[in-house]
Amino acid sequence: MEQFTGKVWVLGDDIDTDIIIPTEYLALKTIEDMKQYGFSPLRPELAAQIQPGDIIVAGKNFGCGSSREQAPEVIKALGIRCIIAKSFARIFFRNSINNGLLLIEQPDLYDDMKEGDSITVTVNEQVDYQGKAYPIASLPENLVEILQAGGLVKAMRRRNGLE
């Protein structure tokens, strides 16, 4: 099973897609141009502080709001390895998987978490934080295939022998 460790950024409940990437920046040409504005309404300094491999831990209803695909793309471009939240908006969950961004629902970790600490994720098994194991559900094999390929388009190209 895949395992990784990362530094945690803690965000609250109801982090909507307008917080993840505000509407005014959607006119920029590329995700690379947009990523510096990620989370700017909430924490303007955050995008510049995130390092590749970092993890977001959040409360409930992460990714609510509009269905813009740029929201998970910006998070992935910032180098976030995965998001662990109490719950996700359904359209954001699917957009994230389709773009190769791992999302994990875990109801208890958020309440115990401190920003800046590190956690270890064992995909489809558990999250370990300060000696405590937080169980997580296994993703279905078809979603794992999409994530491993880096997104839905890449997975379908691979499946159809185009890559």
Side-chain angles (χ1 to χ4, degrees), residues 127-144:
V127 176
D128 292 297
Y129 174 62
Q130 293 189 339
K132 182 176 176 185
Y134 296 80
I136 56 176
S138 291
L139 290 170
E141 188 55 43
N142 64 320
L143 297 188
V144 172

Side-chain angles (χ1 to χ4, degrees), residues 7 9 43 45-51 54 115:
K7 176 184 168 186
W9 297 97
R43 293 171 61 178
E45 75 290 349
L46 184 58
Q49 294 174 334
I50 291 173
Q51 297 297 309
D54 286 354
E115 185 163 286

Side-chain angles (χ1 to χ4, degrees), residues 149 153-163:
V153 171
K154 290 178 182 175
M156 292 303 100
R157 289 184 61 80
R158 188 180 287 174
R159 183 181 281 184
N160 290 305
L162 300 172
E163 281 192 13

Side-chain angles (χ1 to χ4, degrees), residues 9-20:
W9 297 97
V10 177
L11 303 176
D13 293 333
D14 303 311
I15 301 298
D16 67 32
T17 54
D18 287 321
I19 288 172
I20 297 168

Side-chain angles (χ1 to χ4, degrees), residues 21 53 55 78-79 81 86 94 97 112 118 140 147 150 155 157:
I21 184 64
I55 297 168
L78 286 170
R81 182 67 182 82
K86 287 186 175 193
R94 194 59 213 212
I97 298 295
D112 297 343
S118 289
L147 288 166
R157 289 184 61 80

